[in-house]
């Protein structure tokens, strides 16, 4: 099967492209490389230095004899996207190619507009090309658990059955996102749902939780294949940051009370979930939603677990409750379903198994890495 991975130079996309290639899928990557540009603009960098995409792909080919085609360009450019899709003729499109940081989208008006235009227009272009030329292609789109927000009732997978004034219907689950980024994903979901309903396209929205870890079987094969690992206050996510903070002796940065609860998953499960979605596609006209996480944790609990694991390894780990730079509930109900992917055969890597691994497997130069001053969120105006 021919699979186009949009955003294949990024954290989830790179691991997924190699994973699928390794399993015999004919893979192409499409990426504008804009994430590398944003890193430079913000003066941040991945902890694990990543090689240029062409070098990464050459090494993959040399090692495995499995070629991965590359299309470098922006999906908000309709002509470029149209040409690339017609050249590759994908049967499945896995779409990771968006601006994915909540803090980035909340910096100011420009960053909010950039995020929403990049994400919403890119996805819309894709939907129109699929409608015109690839109506049978399956779109596997990365959404986010943050589309739901933190409602005081259980979170279902995409839809909820409601009884109102004696009548009953199954409707899209209400969305209460907490950032301009998360809101862009809600807009995407509505647009994709519309395209499935009106044009008969087939799509799976993977509402993914926060991903952690860096190594997969494929990215661990060679230094040039190493994945990115963000730890800064804009693109670094909670558990990855906590692990790196513990390893370099920086206090763990819990925002506010730390009762914020989210869904989490190991990057090894991200790649497997995508494969499961590809292998059993949605039906024509179907807009399918899977909640893609394996466990729920509050950030306070996560910090405590990292501190405990770190101590067991002889690290001195301190937890710091910082003033919260985000507007979000710090204590709330959170209970989300995640049975769809488990029913398709997902066998999760639970955190207790992999936490020590991910701490131990950090590159040996990490303790020398110049992380000083890069952990605190910008809006706090703090520095170490
Ligand atoms: P990333 O920033 O590492 O990768 C995204 C990639 O998409 C980058 O290589 C970037 O250059 C590319 N890109 C962005 N806009 C593009 C455009 N207009 N045209 C072409 N390429 C473009 O992000 P990630 O962590 O790999 O996240 C991938 C997807 O998964 C995102 O959609 C994100 O919302 C979703 N997701 C990520 C996480 C997480 O914890 N990392 C959790 C839930 C959902
Ligand atoms: N947090 C801390 N300390 C930190 C970093 C984060 O307490 O050092 C807290 C945040 O305040 C938030 C929670 O941890 O309550 C999650 O924050 P995050 O930065 O790990 O994740 P988030 O901003 O939600 O975004 C990430 C990805 C995004 C994806 C989302 C999935 O960047 O692309 O959509 O996770 S979810 O959170 O389920 O919506």
């Amino acid at each position: 099967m021919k699979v186009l991975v949009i955003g294949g130079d990024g954290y989830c996309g790179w691991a997924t492209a190699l994973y699928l290639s390794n399993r015999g899928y004919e893979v192409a990557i499409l990426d504008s490389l804009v994430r590398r540009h944003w890193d430079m603009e913000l003066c941040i960098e991945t902890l694990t230095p990543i090689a240029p995409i062409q070098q990464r792909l050459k090494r993959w080919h040399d090692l495995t004899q499995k070629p991965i085609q590359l299309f470098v360009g922006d999906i908000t450019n309709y002509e470029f996207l149209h040409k690339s899709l017609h050249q590759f003729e994908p049967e499945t499109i896995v779409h990771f190619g968006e601006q994915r940081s909540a803090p980035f989208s909340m910096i100011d008006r420009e960053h909010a507009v950039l995020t929403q235009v990049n994400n919403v227009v890119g996805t819309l272009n894709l939907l129109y090309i699929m409608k015109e030329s690839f109506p049978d292609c399956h779109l596997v789109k990365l959404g986010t658990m943050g589309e739901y927000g933190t409602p005081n009732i259980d979170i279902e997978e995409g839809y909820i059955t409601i009884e109102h004034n004696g009548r009953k219907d199954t409707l899209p689950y209400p969305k209460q996102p907490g950032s301009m980024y998360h809101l862009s994903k809600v807009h995407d979901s509505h647009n994709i749902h519309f395209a499935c309903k009106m044009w008969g396209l087939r799509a799976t929205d993977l509402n993914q939780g926060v991903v952690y870890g860096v190594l997969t079987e494929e990215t661990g094969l060679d230094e040039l294949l190493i994945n990115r690992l963000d730890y800064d206050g804009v693109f670094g996510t909670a558990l990855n940051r906590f692990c790196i903070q513990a390893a370099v002796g920086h206090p763990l940065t819990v925002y506010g009370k730390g009762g914020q609860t989210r869904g989490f998953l190991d990057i090894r499960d991200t790649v497997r979930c995508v494969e499961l979605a590809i292998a059993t596609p949605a039906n024509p006209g179907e807009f399918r939603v899977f909640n893609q996480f394996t466990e729920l944790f509050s950030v306070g609990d996560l910090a405590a677990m990292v501190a405990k694991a770190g101590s067991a390894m002889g690290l001195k780990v301190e937890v710091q409750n910082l003033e919260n730079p985000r507007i979000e509930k710090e204590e709330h109900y959170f209970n989300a379903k995640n049975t769809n992917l488990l029913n398709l055969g997902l066998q999760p890597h639970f955190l207790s198994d992999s936490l020590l691994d991910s701490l131990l497997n950090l590159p040996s130069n990490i303790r020398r890495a110049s992380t000083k001053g890069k952990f605190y969120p910008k809006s706090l105006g703090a520095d170490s």
Side-chain angles (χ1 to χ4, degrees):
M1 187 195 281
K2 290 170 94 167
V3 182
L4 180 68
V5 180
I6 301 179
D9 188 43
Y11 174 55
C12 300
W14 176 242
T16 303
L18 297 193
Y19 180 85
L20 295 175
S21 171
N22 211 15
R23 267 146 199 82
Y25 291 88
E26 186 179 338
V27 177
I29 283 178
L30 186 154
D31 201 300
S32 61
L33 312 182
V34 67
R35 180 55 214 285
R36 293 175 185 250
H37 171 74
W38 291 330
D39 284 359
M40 281 191 281
E41 266 187 3
L42 294 167
C43 291
I44 57 178
E45 58 191 5
T46 151
L47 186 72
T48 43
I50 52 170
I53 182 76
Q54 294 83 353
Q55 274 183 32
R56 296 170 117 184
L57 290 177
K58 183 172 181 310
R59 179 57 58 89
W60 176 250
H61 189 198
D62 291 347
L63 279 176
T64 63
Q65 306 311 311
K66 292 178 169 126
I68 295 181
Q69 269 192 68
L70 176 65
F71 299 90
V72 177
D74 191 323
I75 61 168
T76 62
N77 176 340
Y78 181 80
E79 286 68 36
F80 159 76
L81 186 62
H82 188 272
K83 204 170 128 206
S84 308
L85 258 65
H86 277 82
Q87 200 175 318
F88 184 63
E89 298 186 325
E91 294 161 275
T92 299
I93 297 173
V94 186
H95 179 15
F96 292 101
E98 300 205 326
Q99 191 302 99
R100 68 104 175 128
S101 158
F104 181 100
S105 74
M106 298 296 280
I107 292 174
D108 56 16
R109 186 193 65 85
E110 279 78 8
H111 288 81
V113 171
L114 184 163
T115 300
Q116 294 215 353
V117 170
N118 185 66
N119 297 359
V120 178
V121 174
T123 300
L124 259 183
N125 280 343
L126 194 55
L127 291 172
Y128 267 90
I129 298 172
M130 287 176 68
K131 173 186 178 241
E132 283 153 19
S133 311
F134 304 95
D136 203 39
C137 181
H138 178 207
L139 174 63
V140 177
K141 164 68 169 51
L142 268 292
T144 173
M145 283 302 292
E147 290 186 36
Y148 302 115
T150 50
N152 199 30
I153 57 169
D154 291 349
I155 294 174
E156 305 297 322
E157 302 203 54
Y159 299 90
I160 183 167
T161 301
I162 297 176
E163 263 190 69
H164 181 64
N165 292 346
R167 300 184 64 82
K168 199 168 155 181
D169 203 353
T170 298
L171 300 165
Y173 194 95
K175 305 290 174 69
Q176 304 182 76
S179 75
M180 287 292 183
Y181 151 71
H182 287 98
L183 192 50
S184 76
K185 294 284 193 186
V186 174
H187 299 325
D188 281 343
S189 294
H190 286 312
N191 288 341
I192 302 168
H193 194 177
F194 179 89
C196 291
K197 204 168 55 179
M198 306 302 270
W199 308 332
L201 297 186
R202 52 170 96 215
T204 304
D205 207 359
L206 296 176
N207 280 344
Q208 188 169 238
V210 187
V211 184
Y212 60 84
V214 67
L215 282 184
T216 56
E217 189 187 324
E218 292 78 19
T219 60
L221 279 178
D222 186 281
E223 215 173 289
L224 268 187
L225 301 179
I226 193 81
N227 205 348
R228 66 179 311 132
L229 186 57
D230 301 309
Y231 63 92
D232 61 273
V234 177
F235 280 99
T237 50
L239 183 53
N240 283 347
R241 272 163 68 74
F242 293 166
C243 290
I244 296 164
Q245 288 165 347
V248 300
H250 190 283
L252 310 192
T253 54
V254 172
Y255 297 162
K257 295 190 182 120
Q260 304 93 306
T261 301
R262 301 288 184 269
F264 288 82
L265 75 164
D266 189 309
I267 191 156
R268 292 173 294 179
D269 290 336
T270 291
V271 300
R272 175 72 179 134
C273 288
V274 171
E275 190 192 14
L276 288 170
I278 292 175
T280 317
N283 293 316
E286 185 185 10
F287 176 64
R288 206 169 55 163
V289 183
F290 295 167
N291 290 346
Q292 182 166 311
F293 67 90
T294 58
E295 291 175 283
L296 300 176
F297 295 108
S298 75
V299 290
D301 286 348
L302 273 184
M305 288 167 77
V306 172
K308 191 165 164 239
S311 304
M313 291 169 61
L315 300 168
K316 195 169 159 288
V317 187
E318 185 198 327
V319 178
Q320 198 176 30
N321 284 80
L322 299 173
E323 185 191 329
N324 198 335
R326 306 190 190 190
I327 299 169
E328 60 186 359
K329 287 184 200 153
E330 293 175 6
E331 283 169 324
H332 58 89
Y333 180 79
F334 195 80
N335 186 32
K337 300 262 169 71
N338 65 343
T339 43
N340 284 341
L341 283 158
L342 295 172
N343 289 342
L344 285 179
L346 176 68
Q347 292 183 319
H349 294 85
F350 291 118
L351 181 55
S352 42
D353 298 335
S354 55
L355 177 61
L356 274 172
D357 273 14
S358 54
L359 275 169
L360 284 164
N361 284 326
L362 287 171
S364 55
N365 63 357
I366 176 175
R367 285 179 181 77
R368 298 197 301 274
S370 172
T371 53
K372 188 166 156 43
K374 293 190 179 155
F375 283 121
Y376 289 116
K378 271 265 158 43
S379 52
L380 279 173
D383 202 350
S384 56

